[in-house]
Amino acid sequence: MSLRKLPKVDHLALDSSLADARERLGTKVVTALVREAIAGARLRALEGAEVAGREELLAELRQRVHQRLGQEVRAVINATGVLLHTNLGRAPLPIASLQRIQEVAGSYSTLEIDDELGVRTRRGLGAEARLAALCETEDALLVNNNAAAVLLCLSTLAAGRRVIVSRGELVEIGGGFRIPEVLARSGAELVEVGTTNRTRVQDYERAVDDRTAAMLRVHPSNFHITGFAERPALQELAQLAHARGLPLIKDLGGGLLVDLPEFIPARDREREPSVGACVAAGADLVCFSLDKLFGGPQGGAIVGARRWLTTLREDPLARALRVDKVTLAALEPLLGAYERGALDEIPVQAMLRASEETLRMRVQGWVDALAEQAAATKIVPTRAAIGGGTLAEALLPSVALAVDGERTEVVAQGLRQANVPIFARIEEGRVLLDARTVLPAQDAVLAAQLKQVLAAQ
Ligand SMILES: *Cc1c(COP(=O)(O)O)cnc(C)c1O
C-alpha cells in the first residue's frame, strides 16, 4: 500500500474539471472539500482498500460539489398536490410582493419613519392597521411566525400563571411545533381539561381559579377526531372567559381571510374558520401564520382587542420577534389584493380556487407538449390537499398527469434532478403530477423537463 500515490491537495484542487466549482463555491471551499475527500481515501486505504486514484477522487469530488450546491434554496415545481407544503416553502408570493421587495429591500425605506412629518413611527404601523380592518377587529401585531405569535401571547399575558387548554388540543402541529412545549417555554403553567375526545364548557369553568391568566383554544390542524367527540363552540368559551375577566387566545394556524371555495364540502369548510369568524365569535386574540392560507411571506399575526395588543407590543420579547422589512414589503401588496378582493393575484388563493376544467386544460397542454412521449401518460382525476396543518383531509378535487410504467422511482428521481426540480407524488404504483399546485407560469418548463425524463427511459 502506498499512500504516497494519493494526489496532493493543491494539485487536485486546481484540476481543470473543478474550474466551475471554484467559480461557484470559491477556492477555499473547494480546497476544503478536496482535503475531506483525500482524508477519506487515506482512511479507507489504511483499512486495506485500494488506494484511490486521481480520477476516482475527482469523481467523488464532483459528487461533493453537487451536494454542496444542492444545499442552496432554489425554485422547484410543486406537483405533489399539497398546496402548503412546509418542506417546499409553503406559499409562493404574489408578483406584486416580489416587485415591492425589489424596490424596498434594495434601498433605504420608510420602515420606521413618517415621510410627511419626518418623525419616527412604529414599524409595521400601516400594515397592522390594514390587517386589523380586514379582520374586522381593533388592532393587529406582526411578528416572525405564528409560533412566535403564540409564544408572545402566552409569555406576556400568562407567565407564572395558568392557561387552560383542552387535552384534545395538545397536539404537535408538524415541524416540531408542540403546544405543550411552547406553553412551558412561555413560563405559563398548563392546565389540561377534558379528555382527548371530549371537553365541555364546564370542564373549563371548573378549572378557573385566581391564578388563571387566560384560556387557550388551539386549531387541531392536521388531525381530526371523528366519532364520539365534542368540544364547546368558540363562542361559548368566549362567554365563559369574559365572565371571568380572562382573555381567550385562539391559535388558528391557517389565517384564512375569505371563505373557502364552495366545492369543498360544507362540513370541511366549517372546520377551517376564517380569522373574522373567530373574532366575531369573541376570541380576544387570534394568532395565525402569514405563509399558510393567507398566502404571504413567513410571518405571524396576532389580531384582536387593543387593550391586549398594547400590552403585547410593550413586552421586550416583542422586539426580539419583530418582523423585518422584507416581510413587510411582501405583505403590503397582499393586503392590497385582499382589500380589492383580487384573490387571483394571490397564488395560494388562485390555486385553491382553480376549477377542475381549468386544471384539465392545463394538463392537456402538458400532454400536447410531450408529443411522442405522451403515450406513457394519462390524464386522471385526483385529490389535492391544502396541507400546512390545515384541513389535512379536506381533499380538493384535482387533475393530474399519471405516468405509467414499472420504473416509478426512476422517473420520480429523474424529475427531482431536473434543472428546475419537479416534486411529484407516487400513488398506486404511478407517478402523479398534480396540476393544482403547479404555478401556471411553470407549465412549459414542467412539460419540457418531463419530456426529457421520459425520453431517457
Ligand atoms: C402552522 C401552525 C403553527 C405554527 O405556525 P408557524 O407560522 O409555522 O410558526 C402554530 N399553530 C397552528 C395551529 C398551526 O397550524
Side-chain angles (χ1 to χ4, degrees):
M1 169 184 72
S2 170
L3 286 173
R4 260 171 297 154
K5 262 177 59 190
L6 280 171
K8 294 265 177 299
V9 173
D10 292 345
H11 265 184
L12 207 56
L14 289 174
D15 191 274
S16 61
S17 74
L18 295 176
D20 183 50
R22 285 192 298 271
E23 177 96 3
R24 294 173 72 179
L25 294 173
T27 314
K28 263 196 188 154
V29 173
V30 173
T31 307
L33 292 177
V34 167
R35 197 165 280 130
E36 276 173 34
I38 292 179
R42 172 171 295 122
L43 216 62
R44 288 195 298 275
L46 287 171
E47 285 166 355
E50 184 103 11
V51 177
R54 188 180 177 87
E55 282 316 311
E56 193 181 324
L57 280 166
L58 281 171
E60 187 187 328
L61 275 163
R62 278 191 290 275
Q63 186 72 28
R64 282 173 189 253
V65 166
H66 183 78
Q67 255 175 16
R68 177 61 69 95
L69 289 170
Q71 285 164 355
E72 287 189 351
V73 180
R74 52 196 181 118
V76 305
I77 296 174
N78 176 9
T80 63
V82 180
L83 235 78
L84 297 163
H85 199 300
T86 298
N87 304 133
L88 298 182
R90 292 192 187 158
L93 293 177
I95 307 246
S97 297
L98 304 179
Q99 287 165 345
R100 189 70 65 82
I101 289 172
Q102 189 163 27
E103 284 164 30
V104 169
S107 160
Y108 292 101
S109 62
T110 55
L111 187 62
E112 294 179 355
I113 236 159
D114 183 311
D115 54 356
E116 270 177 41
L117 306 173
V119 294
R120 195 171 159 202
T121 60
R122 196 177 79 226
R123 169 186 299 228
L125 183 75
E128 289 175 349
R130 290 167 74 184
L131 185 61
L134 284 167
C135 300
E136 298 187 46
T137 179
E138 283 176 14
D139 201 358
L141 173 61
L142 295 166
V143 289
N144 242 319
N145 52 33
N146 188 33
V150 176
L151 178 67
L152 181 62
C153 287
L154 295 172
S155 166
T156 306
L157 303 178
R161 296 170 67 204
R162 294 186 165 148
V163 174
I164 306 176
V165 62
S166 160
R167 196 161 273 128
E169 295 169 12
L170 294 174
V171 295
E172 171 163 333
I173 311 283
F177 182 87
R178 289 189 173 160
I179 287 294
E181 290 175 1
V182 176
L183 265 157
R185 205 75 180 89
S186 72
E189 185 189 326
L190 182 68
V191 179
E192 301 174 30
V193 297
T195 59
T196 310
N197 58 336
R198 296 192 97 176
T199 308
R200 301 186 181 83
V201 169
Q202 292 81 352
D203 296 323
Y204 288 87
E205 197 163 13
R206 270 197 298 272
V208 177
D209 63 14
D210 56 2
R211 291 192 52 219
T212 307
M215 303 210 307
L216 172 68
R217 168 88 141 206
V218 184
H219 190 61
S221 293
N222 46 6
F223 97 140
H224 178 45
I225 299 173
T226 48
F228 191 60
E230 171 182 348
R231 46 178 215 157
L234 193 62
Q235 201 164 0
E236 287 178 81
L237 219 50
Q239 276 162 5
L240 170 63
H242 299 158
R244 301 305 176 94
L246 300 170
L248 173 63
I249 303 166
K250 165 90 183 174
D251 174 12
L252 178 61
L256 197 60
L257 289 198
V258 290
D259 289 337
L260 282 171
E262 296 275 319
F263 58 72
I264 296 180
R267 176 179 47 92
D268 290 329
R269 272 184 279 141
E270 277 161 25
R271 283 176 39 211
E272 190 58 39
S274 69
V275 179
C278 296
V279 169
D284 299 274
L285 295 158
V286 183
C287 303
F288 58 92
S289 289
L290 296 180
D291 57 352
K292 290 187 182 170
L293 282 170
F294 184 83
Q298 182 190 306
I302 309 168
V303 303
R306 178 156 301 134
R307 61 185 275 237
W308 302 112
L309 282 165
T310 304
T311 314
L312 297 187
R313 218 171 247 128
E314 286 166 358
D315 193 289
L317 189 58
R319 170 63 177 76
L321 304 175
R322 73 177 180 185
V323 277
D324 91 313
K325 62 182 177 190
V326 183
T327 307
L328 284 172
L331 180 63
E332 284 175 342
L334 204 70
L335 294 171
Y338 277 116
E339 285 159 354
R340 288 181 282 111
L343 297 181
D344 280 354
E345 296 175 17
I346 304 167
V348 166
Q349 289 294 332
M351 290 192 280
L352 189 60
R353 273 151 222 282
S355 72
E356 279 174 273
E357 198 184 311
T358 308
L359 297 176
R360 189 169 297 277
M361 270 163 45
R362 286 179 47 212
V363 179
Q364 184 60 53
W366 303 350
V367 171
D368 295 344
L370 288 177
E372 69 272 24
Q373 303 303 336
T377 67
K378 196 166 145 206
I379 301 178
V380 296
T382 186
R383 308 227 129 220
I386 297 181
T390 311
L391 284 185
E393 318 129 73
L395 298 168
L396 307 162
S398 190
V399 182
L401 189 62
V403 181
D404 286 320
E406 313 273 278
R407 295 150 52 90
T408 43
E409 266 309 329
V410 182
V411 171
Q413 191 184 10
L415 291 171
R416 283 197 303 273
Q417 288 174 347
N419 230 344
V420 184
I422 302 173
F423 286 80
R425 169 166 105 227
I426 294 181
E427 212 175 88
E428 291 166 5
R430 295 184 302 190
V431 176
L432 286 189
L433 295 144
D434 191 322
R436 190 171 286 281
T437 53
V438 175
L439 296 169
Q442 291 177 318
D443 277 346
V445 182
L446 178 141
Q449 294 187 147
L450 177 62
K451 187 169 176 10
Q452 266 184 4
V453 170
L454 292 178
Q457 292 305 297

